[in-house]
Amino acid sequence: MQNNSMPSYVEGLAEEISKKVMNCLKNFSPDVEVYSIDEAFVDLTGTEKLFKKNYIEIIKTIRETILNETDIPVSIGLSTSKTLAKLASDKAKNTNGIYIINHDNIKMEMEKTKIEEIWGIGKNITITLKKKGILNCLEFINMPDAVLKQLLGAKGLEMKHELLGEVISPVN
């Protein structure tokens, strides 16, 4: 019988690195929500005045700080909602480690993002939406609220508004 789990020393190292990364994040904002061992949401609202930098400069500083402290390159997505930040973070993995989705480029990003790329949209929801001809996120956010609610319930509406850049699920 083969054991596919990580050796305990590897798990311990991963946890130690994760703790260092999360501590770095907490130096930039008191509002850090640890989502998993390698993911967190950080609310940077109001930090521009504190650090005397814009948000793009702040996330570059965060990325540099984490690299200097841990030797781990991280991907950072910057946006106004958790769902968009998660999407931006996923896209950052294929760019220079930083990706931004703001109000000016939401529609363009939604048009080029397949529905199954969105955090929280699993296989069954993807199948349901594709049956209705919804293939990308722009088509999803353009659905009438009543139709979306009937199809996916309140969670579907929340997801739509998060994709529009509204904070439905704040960092906690």
Side-chain angles (χ1 to χ4, degrees), residues 23-146:
N23 285 336
C24 285
L25 294 175
K26 290 173 185 172
N27 289 326
F28 289 91
S29 173
D31 299 321
V32 176
E33 180 180 334
V34 178
Y35 185 71
S36 68
I37 195 166
D38 66 346
E39 283 185 298
F41 295 100
V42 180
D43 186 346
L44 295 174
T45 305
T47 58
E48 287 178 305
K49 290 180 181 170
L50 176 67
F51 294 112
K52 295 179 177 57
K53 297 179 178 186
N54 66 38
Y55 292 125
I56 296 168
E57 293 168 328
I58 293 169
I59 64 170
K60 286 179 180 178
T61 303
I62 291 171
R63 191 164 189 273
E64 289 169 15
T65 300
I66 291 171
L67 185 61
N68 290 337
E69 301 264 333
T70 67
D71 270 342
I72 302 290
V74 296
S75 300
I76 298 178
L78 177 66
S79 197
T80 55
S81 72
K82 283 184 184 176
T83 303
L84 287 176
K86 176 82 169 97
L87 176 62
S89 179
D90 290 344
K91 291 178 180 266
K93 293 172 185 163
N94 298 319
T95 60
N96 63 352
I98 291 175
Y99 200 89
I100 299 155
I101 299 176
N102 58 35
H103 286 293
D104 296 335
N105 68 352
I106 285 177
K107 297 275 187 196
M108 180 193 69
E109 290 294 339
M110 294 299 96
E111 188 171 22
K112 67 182 187 178
T113 302
K114 295 177 188 172
I115 198 68
E116 60 267 21
E117 293 178 57
I118 295 301
W119 175 50
I121 296 187
K123 185 178 177 182
N124 291 337
I125 294 174
T126 298
I127 290 168
T128 300
L129 291 170
K130 286 186 174 184
K131 283 181 183 174
K132 296 287 185 187
I134 307 300
L135 305 177
N136 67 39
C137 292
L138 184 60
E139 294 166 340
F140 180 81
I141 64 174
N142 285 333
M143 289 178 72
D145 285 357

